[in-house]
């Protein structure tokens, strides 16, 4: 065996040894451990769990914390979804020889460290592009809707918060703007008694004061990123109406009056299918009336603690997967450096064997390379 062959065998053995010692969870297939980065898939699984259980739990909780929990879960789940898809797509991208040549890392080392199938990476990349495109389209629509609402606020008669329309069609809704306006028709006012009118206005005022339109915007954006999160948007609409109902009940001081106002307003507008979402007649009216006729919902800590634990797990898994990807690239660059050193040593025997670029005899993960 000549010297060049011996050097190559030594370098190959060192590269494999460093790749296995660098990260215990990223090795070639063995009997004891599967070469799969489980952490990158955890956010995807958590998104499915949230999509199934969060809409069912939200109506059972106090509406205000339920709304904040739903919007937080939707945001974290959508970001985890995008992050996992991006990491999976990246794992396939770095296996391409052209990309590896530009980044100066070893394709063989990448495939040994992170065995993500190219088919999985391609599907993840396409899904990521579809999610980003859906987000862009939804964001454009939401901006147009907000601009339309502000323009309509300026065109409404009067300069106070309440705008009464001279029309017989029963109508009542909150129109977000700067500031927002409460729009009520004379036909709606005739359908309600004095205290019920007070309850109706308090309900619509709660939508404006607590900026419920921003909650709806976030839910629609996250649903555009991941269609699995659409149930959170539907459940969120009901929770917002319940939130406004509870605020109106506190303002009026009688839950029965608010229930009567919601029921009569819904009956009066039952023929109008084009009413806005942020309206006293929105949501599942029978469930809202039933909740108003019952005592205020108690505060339960367990669902919020469980949801917070899932979100923390999602963030931690995504961070761990990102760290794995970074160390995978460092290991692949180190392997490429060893290969280049072996080639240079065989070509120029007078150069010291460890004097080119790699401190590969140092224990622990290889250092970051700057070429």
């Amino acid at each position: 065996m000549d010297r060049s062959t011996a050097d190559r065998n030594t370098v190959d053995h060192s590269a494999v040894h460093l790749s296995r010692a660098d990260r215990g969870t990223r090795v070639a297939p063995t009997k004891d451990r599967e070469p799969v980065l489980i952490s990158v898939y955890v956010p995807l699984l958590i998104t499915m769990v949230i999509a199934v259980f969060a809409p069912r739990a939200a109506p059972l909780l106090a509406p205000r914390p339920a709304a904040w929990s739903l919007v937080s879960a939707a945001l974290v789940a959508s970001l985890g979804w995008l992050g996992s898809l991006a990491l999976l797509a990246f794992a396939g991208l770095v296996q391409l020889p052209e990309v590896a040549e530009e980044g100066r890392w070893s394709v063989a080392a990448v495939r040994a460290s992170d065995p993500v199938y190219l088919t999985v990476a391609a599907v993840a990349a396409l899904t990521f592009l579809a999610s980003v495109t859906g987000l862009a389209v939804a964001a454009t629509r939401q901006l147009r809707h907000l601009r339309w609402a502000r323009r309509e606020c300026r065109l409404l008669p009067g300069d106070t918060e309440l705008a009464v329309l001279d029309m017989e069609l029963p109508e009542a809704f909150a129109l977000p703007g700067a500031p927002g306006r409460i729009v009520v028709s004379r036909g709606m006012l005739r359908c309600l008694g004095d205290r019920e009118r007070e309850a109706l206005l308090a309900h619509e005022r709660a939508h404006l004061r607590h900026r419920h339109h921003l909650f709806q915007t976030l839910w629609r954006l996250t649903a555009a990123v991941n269609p699995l999160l659409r149930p959170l948007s539907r459940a969120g609409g009901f929770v917002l109406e319940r939130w406004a109902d509870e605020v109106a009940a506190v303002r009026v001081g009688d839950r029965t009056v608010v229930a009567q106002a919601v029921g009569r307003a819904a009956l009066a507008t039952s023929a109008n299918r084009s009413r806005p979402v942020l309206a006293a007649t929105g949501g599942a009216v029978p469930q809202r009336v039933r909740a108003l006729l019952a005592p205020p919902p108690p505060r339960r800590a367990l669902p919020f603690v469980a949801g917070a634990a899932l979100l923390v797990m999602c963030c931690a898994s995504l961070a761990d997967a990102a760290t794995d990807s970074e160390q995978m690239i460092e290991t692949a660059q180190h392997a490429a450096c060893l290969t280049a050193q072996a080639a240079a040593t065989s070509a120029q025997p007078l150069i010291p064997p460890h004097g080119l670029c790699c401190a590969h005899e140092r224990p622990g993960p290889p250092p970051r390379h700057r070429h």
Side-chain angles (χ1 to χ4, degrees):
M1 181 182 298
D2 57 13
R3 179 175 178 178
S4 61
T5 304
D7 289 339
R8 289 192 186 95
N9 292 337
T10 302
V11 169
D12 292 341
H13 176 73
S14 301
V16 172
H17 174 72
L18 286 171
S19 177
R20 294 192 176 193
D22 177 62
R23 185 81 176 170
T25 59
R26 295 184 292 102
V27 296
T30 63
K31 295 181 179 180
D32 299 328
R33 188 184 300 273
E34 289 294 328
V36 178
L37 295 176
I38 301 299
S39 57
V40 76
Y41 299 101
V42 171
L44 305 179
L45 297 176
I46 290 179
T47 299
M48 298 178 185
V49 172
I50 290 175
V52 172
F53 292 101
R56 299 180 181 181
L60 306 177
L61 306 175
R64 180 170 183 170
W68 281 105
S69 298
L70 282 177
V71 77
S72 300
L75 285 174
V76 174
S78 60
L79 292 177
W81 174 268
L82 289 176
S84 294
L85 293 177
L87 289 174
L88 288 172
F90 175 77
L93 183 66
V94 296
Q95 297 182 44
L96 299 179
E98 296 80 7
V99 177
E101 183 178 358
E102 290 294 328
R104 297 186 180 181
W105 57 69
S106 170
V107 175
V110 169
R111 292 175 178 174
S113 301
D114 188 10
V116 174
Y117 294 108
L118 290 178
T119 303
V120 175
V123 172
L126 293 176
T127 307
F128 178 82
L129 292 177
S131 297
V132 173
T133 302
L135 176 62
V137 173
T140 302
R141 290 177 178 175
Q142 292 303 306
L143 286 176
R144 290 177 180 174
H145 178 74
L146 292 177
R147 290 175 181 174
W148 169 84
R150 294 198 174 197
R151 184 173 63 252
E152 291 297 318
C153 284
R154 293 192 299 266
L155 297 177
L156 288 172
D159 54 359
T160 61
E161 184 183 48
L162 178 62
V164 179
L165 301 181
D166 189 11
M167 54 186 296
E168 293 300 324
L169 182 66
E171 194 65 271
F173 56 90
L175 194 62
R181 305 288 298 275
I182 298 174
V183 182
V184 182
S185 67
R186 295 191 182 276
M188 175 63 76
L189 295 177
R190 293 191 184 99
C191 296
L192 305 176
D194 292 338
R195 299 202 66 193
E196 292 169 350
R197 294 174 187 172
E198 182 184 359
L200 177 70
L201 296 179
H203 176 100
E204 303 300 345
R205 190 173 291 112
H207 284 315
L208 295 179
R209 297 292 170 82
H210 298 285
R211 299 184 179 276
H212 287 173
H213 63 284
L214 296 181
F215 287 79
Q216 287 186 327
T217 298
L218 290 175
W219 283 321
R220 289 166 182 164
L221 293 179
T222 56
V225 170
N226 184 359
L228 293 176
L229 298 176
R230 288 178 182 176
L232 271 70
S233 180
R234 293 191 292 267
F238 174 77
V239 168
L240 291 181
E241 296 300 332
R242 285 283 300 116
W243 183 353
D245 289 342
E246 293 296 329
V247 173
V250 173
R251 176 67 177 85
V252 175
D254 191 337
R255 300 176 65 84
T256 303
V257 171
V258 180
Q260 292 174 350
V262 170
R264 290 187 178 181
L267 290 175
T269 59
S270 59
N272 183 15
R273 298 182 179 179
S274 61
R275 57 182 179 274
V277 176
L278 287 179
T281 56
V285 175
Q287 289 85 342
R288 290 171 54 197
V289 172
R290 189 181 304 114
L292 285 168
L293 294 178
R299 294 186 176 273
R300 299 181 175 91
L302 182 59
F304 297 107
V305 173
L310 283 176
L311 298 185
V312 170
M313 186 184 303
C314 179
C315 296
S317 300
L318 190 62
D320 184 65
T323 302
D324 286 340
S325 298
E326 181 181 6
Q327 293 185 356
M328 173 190 68
I329 294 301
E330 290 180 352
T331 301
Q333 289 177 333
H334 188 60
C337 186
L338 289 174
T339 303
Q341 177 179 317
T345 302
S346 62
Q348 302 179 12
L350 297 179
I351 297 179
H354 301 302
L356 289 177
C357 65
C358 297
H360 56 271
E361 293 183 346
R362 183 181 303 172
R368 185 185 300 273
H369 297 274
R370 300 181 182 273
H371 294 282

